[in-house]
Structures are given as structure tokens and as C-alpha cells.
Amino acid sequence: MEKICIYPGSFDPITNGHMDIIDRSSKIFDKIIVAVLMNASKTPMFSVEERMDLIRKSTEHLPNVEVDSFKGLLVHYLEEKNVNIVIRGLRAVSDFEHEFSMAALNAHMYPKIETILMMTRTENSFLSSSFIKDIARNKGDIKDFVPSQIVSDITKKIQEERFSGK
Ligand code: PNS
């Protein structure tokens, strides 16, 4: 039987921290499905389709990575996919409380679930998509923080934002 896990998140945009988790879990699992949440309550920088494209570009070298999106509850998506392993990255102790509550609530709703928290490498422990957007919007250099394949997509998006007066 194939060992499959789902790595859910907002990925707005994918960072080297996310890539670290994807790279490492792709060696443990036969297949990893990176699932982008379609969240109507947030105003993302990139659309769900754009975020999926950025993930695809960043994971081209990993044949066992699939990119998908989901709406609503993660547990419903797991059921639909018939997968019960969820992987999430843990950057610091501060992430733990949120991840712990989410894992507990998900386990209550879907007892078959196994949430695996993978510690990010220390060099990535300070990274977040929000910081990266902030740095990029303020003309800082983001090349050390995101996969090289997507740096120009982010700078292009910032230019479009400026042009449209956002
Ligand atoms: O990258 P993020 O924003 O930290 O990812 C959070 C995500 C998408 C994993 C989480 O918000 C989620 O699973 N949302 C789907 C809705 C859901 O299942 N909510 C109940 C969680 S207890």
C-alpha cells in the first residue's frame, strides 16, 4: 500500500521553510499531496491557481509531489482523498500551541487522522510567507528565503500591485 500524506497550508507564497518540509517528507512518504486552502476570508497576494503554479515550479525535481487545493474542513478533504496522515511544519515553540489545538480538534472530528509535526531546519525557523511579502513589498531581497524558480514571480506580482495602486 502506498504511504501518502497531505501537507495543507496557505502557501501565499511557498517559502524555503515549506520546501524543507516537502523535500524531507518526500523521502519518507511514497507520495505527498501539497494542498492549498481556498480561504475566502483572507485576502491573499496570489490566487489559489497562482499559488499552486508556484508550488509546482518549486517541486518539479520531486516526482512524488502532487499539488492540489481544497475548500472547507481539512478532515473532509482527507476523507475525500482517503488519506489519514497530515504533515505540518513546526518552526518554533510559538507554533506549537496552534498546531496542537488544530491536531486535537481534527482528531476529534476524524479519529483516523495522524498529524505529524516536522521541525524545520533552524535556518528556516524564522521564515514566514507574511514576512517575505513584507520584505518584497518594501524592496528587500527575498532570494535567500524562497525557491529560486519563483523569485521573479513574486517581484512581478509586487510590481503589478504597485501599478494597480494596491
Ligand atoms: O499555512 P497555514 O495558514 O498555517 O495553514 C492552515 C491550514 C490551512 C492548515 C488550516 O487553517 C486548515 O486546515 N484550514 C481548513 C479549515 C479547517 O479544517 N479548520 C479546522 C481546523 S481545527
Side-chain angles (χ1 to χ4, degrees):
M1 253 230 333
E2 262 196 327
K3 253 190 300 161
I4 306 177
C5 75
I6 284 178
Y7 179 32
S10 304
F11 304 104
D12 185 38
I14 185 165
T15 70
N16 283 347
H18 297 129
M19 276 311 297
D20 172 36
I21 302 296
I22 296 172
D23 268 321
R24 286 159 57 208
S25 36
S26 74
K27 294 187 186 100
I28 301 172
F29 292 92
D30 296 316
K31 184 161 109 183
I32 159 163
I33 303 173
V34 182
V36 179
L37 173 68
M38 300 184 201
N39 188 349
S41 67
K42 275 192 184 173
T43 316
M45 174 180 261
F46 293 95
S47 70
V48 170
E49 278 309 321
E50 287 170 330
R51 281 180 265 163
M52 289 171 70
D53 279 346
L54 297 181
I55 300 169
R56 277 192 205 103
K57 267 189 181 183
S58 310
T59 58
E60 253 174 1
H61 60 293
L62 300 170
N64 60 341
V65 173
E66 192 180 296
V67 185
D68 195 14
S69 62
F70 74 104
K71 276 202 240 245
L73 288 182
L74 176 63
V75 289
H76 292 160
Y77 176 66
L78 290 173
E79 236 172 335
E80 179 196 312
K81 288 282 177 185
N82 198 23
V83 173
N84 59 355
I85 305 175
V86 168
I87 196 132
R88 292 278 294 166
L90 202 58
R91 290 168 300 186
V93 180
S94 50
D95 279 343
F96 183 76
E97 215 167 314
H98 178 69
E99 295 300 330
F100 186 72
S101 318
M102 214 157 60
L105 287 168
N106 282 336
H108 184 88
M109 293 186 280
Y110 188 54
K112 277 204 289 188
I113 196 173
E114 289 295 350
T115 301
I116 298 179
L117 299 179
M118 186 180 266
M119 283 177 280
T120 53
R121 300 271 186 240
T122 36
E123 61 269 29
N124 295 319
S125 62
F126 54 88
L127 284 181
S128 77
S129 299
S130 323
F131 283 149
I132 286 161
K133 283 182 278 192
D134 204 23
I135 294 169
R137 281 185 175 124
N138 290 289
K139 303 185 181 166
D141 189 354
I142 54 164
K143 76 171 182 346
D144 290 339
F145 309 137
V146 296
S148 54
Q149 303 92 308
I150 68 163
V151 172
S152 60
D153 296 278
I154 299 175
T155 42
K156 192 167 151 241
K157 178 62 88 177
I158 303 280
Q159 276 159 7
E160 282 168 15
E161 272 189 5
R162 280 206 195 105
F163 191 69
S164 66
K166 271 195 200 162

